[in-house]
Amino acid sequence: MKNYFSSNFKLGVLGGGQLGRMLLAETQKFDIHTSILESNKNAPCAEICNTFVLGDLLDFDAVYNFGKTVDLLTIEIENVNLDALDKLEEEGLTIYPKPKDLRIIQSKARQKNFYIDNEIPTAEFSHYAYLEELKHSYENNIIEFPFVWKAARFGYDGNGVKIVRNIDDLESLPKVECITEKLIPFKNELAVIVTRNASGETTTYPVVEMEFHPEANQVEYVICPARIDFKVADKARELALKVVSKLDFVGLLAVEMFQTVDDKILVNEVAPRPHNSGHYSIEASYTNQFEQHLRSILNLPLGNTESKVAGIMVNLVGEEGFSGDVVYQNIEDILKIDGVTPHIYGKKETRPFRKMGHVTIVNSDIDKAREIAQKVKETIRVISK
Amino acid sequence: MKNYFSSNFKLGVLGGGQLGRMLLAETQKFDIHTSILESNKNAPCAEICNTFVLGDLLDFDAVYNFGKTVDLLTIEIENVNLDALDKLEEEGLTIYPKPKDLRIIQSKARQKNFYIDNEIPTAEFSHYAYLEELKHSYENNIIEFPFVWKAARFGYDGNGVKIVRNIDDLESLPKVECITEKLIPFKNELAVIVTRNASGETTTYPVVEMEFHPEANQVEYVICPARIDFKVADKARELALKVVSKLDFVGLLAVEMFQTVDDKILVNEVAPRPHNSGHYSIEASYTNQFEQHLRSILNLPLGNTESKVAGIMVNLVGEEGFSGDVVYQNIEDILKIDGVTPHIYGKKETRPFRKMGHVTIVNSDIDKAREIAQKVKETIRVISK
C-alpha cells in the first residue's frame, strides 16, 4: 500500500464546492495532502485546502497542468474536461472515477443508452440534439404533455430538469440538447450509494427516501433508512449494484431511483461522487460517504455503511426574494434541539434556491427525527441582511 | 445573537496543534472564520485555517497583536501569555476561557490551592519553589518515597509528571518549581467534561474511564461510558460541576479524577479546553467536544452530550526507537475493522512517545469495542521510514 498518511502523497480534486469541502474534513482527518482546482476564488474549499489552484474545470490546459502536480485525481463535480483526463490517464495518472465512466454520466443521453444497453430498468426517453427537434416531435404528435425535459448536460440541483405540461412550458425551454422522459407515476424517490475500490470490494449504504420541493425540484428531506418494505429496499440495492458492476466503477456512485406504483424500481440518474442523498451519513453512519469515497479511490478497505441512528437531512436553500450577504435566521433555535447539526457551506452570498448548507437530524427514533426535521425546516430561514 | 455563520466575525485561537486542528473541523462545519497563532510553521493547523499567524504564544506582543485582529479569543493550549490576555480583556475583547481561570490552571500549585480553598477533594500536596527545597524535605524526612512529582508549569502528555520511588529518581528530576502529591491507591482514573456558556447553560458528558501506559504516563485507552457504578458516576459528575461553578468557568473544562479504593472521588487536575479524554466524542456522541467548546465560547445553545454508541479511544504515539518521517504501519489492517476511525494529526515526523494521532472504536456493545481496541493497539505501529 502507498503511504498516504502524513506523507508526500498528493490527492488532487477537480472542483472546490461544498462537496469538496466536506471531503476535506476527511482528508484532514487522515492527513492526506489535498490540492483543489476551482474557478471561483471564493469557493467553499478556497481557504482550507492544502493547495488551491485557480482554473477552469472545462479548460484542457487547466485540468491537464493541475493533473501533472498530483499523484491521484478525483472529482467533486462531473462537468470537467474529459480530454485532459484521458491524456493524463494515458500518461499514467490514476483517476477515480474513471474518465470513461464520467463520459457516460456527463451526458444524460449516453447515461440512458447505457441503461438500455445493459438492461437496467429506466423510464422511456427520447433524445433531441436541438430544441427545434423536440418542438417538431410535439407538432407531429410523437410526444404528448406532460413529459419530463432534461438538459443533456450541465444540469444540477434541479436546474436543467422541468416538467413540461403545456405549450408555454415548451416554448420557454432553453435551446439546448436534451432528453425527454415519460412522467412516471411513482410512490417514492429512493437513492442508494454504492462504493467500490480498485480491489473490487463493494459496499452499499442503506436505501434512503427523498422528498422534493414541489417547485424548485430540489431535495427537501432525505430520510435514512427509507420507510419502505425490505423487499423493495433489497431490489433497489441490487439494481444499484448492477449499475456499478456494469460500469466497472471505482469510487462512490449515488444511484437515484423511482419506486413505481406497482413497486418496480427504475433508475433515474446517477452521480459519480458524494451526493446530497448521503449527507445524513456524516452524523448517522459508522463511516460517512466522504470518508468512504476517499477509502474507495485510495483502494483502502471500505468502512461499515450501517447507521448508528436514524438520520434525516434538510437542505438549506436561499429563500426567494433574498439576495446578498447571507444570514441564517433562527439558527440558534435549531441548535437548541437535541441531535440537530447545521452544516454551513461557506458561501457569503445567498440567492433564491441556492444551496447554502444542510441540517442533519439524528435520533434513535425515526418518527421523532421526522418531526424534528419538519420543525427545523419551519424555523431556520436563509435570508440576506 | 451575533451573526457568526459565513460572516465577517473572526474567531482567534492561541495554538495550532492537533486540538486546534480538530476544532477547525467544527469551525469549518459552521463556516466561522478562524485565525490561528502558533510558533511552529509546520503545525497541524498551518495549512487548513483561514488565517495563520506565526508567533510565540508566551510573547506579550505576539499574543496582544494577534488578539487585536479577532472578535473573540480562545485557546487550545493553556501555556500562553496571560498579561497580554489581561490587557486585551481590559480593552474589551471577549476571551474564553477567562484569563483569571487560565492563571489558576496554568500553575499546578495554584490549582491545588484553589481546590483546597473551595473544599474540592484532591490528593494532599506540597509545593516547592526549587528542586533543592524538595531534596531538603526528603533529607529531613518530611517527605517519603514513593510520591508523585509534577512540574508546576508547562507539563503536558505525561511530561512533567513522574513517580519518584528512590534517590536516583529524585536526583534526576528537572530543577524547576514543582509540587509533590501522595501516591493515591486508586481503582480507576476517570474524567468528566463540563461545558458552560456565558448564559450559564451547563452540560456534562458521561464519565469516562482511562487506562494509562505504565511507563510513558500517557493515556492508552479512554472508555465511554466508564464501567463503574452509576452512584460513583453521579458523584464524579457532581464534583466536576462544582469545579466549574467555583471557577465561574465559561468554555469546556475536562476534569480528571481518581476513584479511590473506598470509592471517594478526588480531583487530579483540569484542562480548560477540549481534551484527549473527549476525543471519542467525535464518533460516539451526538455533539462532539470540539463543537461543544465552540458552542460554549460563542454563547450558542449547548448540544446533546449523550452517546449514540459506546466509544473507546486509543492514542497513537511514536514507538520507542523510531525518529523521523512517520509511517503508520498496518493502518490498512485496522481500517478493515468495522467502527474503527483513525485520526492522523498531521505531524510529519515521529519521535518516541510523541502524540501522532488517535483511533476511535465505536460499537453498540462496549465489550466488543474493548476487544477491538486491544486489537487496534496491537496492530498499528507508529514508526519511521
Side-chain angles (χ1 to χ4, degrees), chain A residues 354-373:
Chain A
R354 189 177 193 195
K355 259 191 205 167
M356 300 296 289
H358 74 264
V359 181
T360 311
I361 297 95
V362 290
N363 202 290
S364 51
D365 176 351
I366 194 168
D367 296 321
K368 181 76 187 154
R370 183 62 185 78
E371 265 174 49
I372 294 173

Side-chain angles (χ1 to χ4, degrees), chain B residues 112 121-124 181-191 207 228-229 231-233 235-236 239 256-268:
Chain B
K112 280 295 212 177
T122 190
E124 280 176 40
E181 284 178 1
K182 266 180 77 169
L183 191 59
I184 300 291
F186 58 81
K187 272 192 207 168
N188 281 305
E189 291 208 43
L190 307 174
V207 181
I228 56 173
D229 188 273
K231 283 182 206 156
V232 175
K235 215 195 281 183
L239 185 55
E256 294 184 64
M257 291 172 280
F258 298 117
Q259 177 189 1
T260 64
V261 285
D262 53 347
D263 285 344
K264 285 204 180 88
I265 305 288
L266 305 179
V267 170
N268 178 19

Side-chain angles (χ1 to χ4, degrees), chain B residues 84 131 147 176 179 233 256 265 282 312 340 346 363-364 368 379 382:
Chain B
L131 183 62
F147 61 82
V176 296
I179 64 168
E256 294 184 64
I265 305 288
I282 297 174
I312 298 188
V340 170
N363 203 289
S364 51
K368 182 76 187 148
T379 303
V382 183

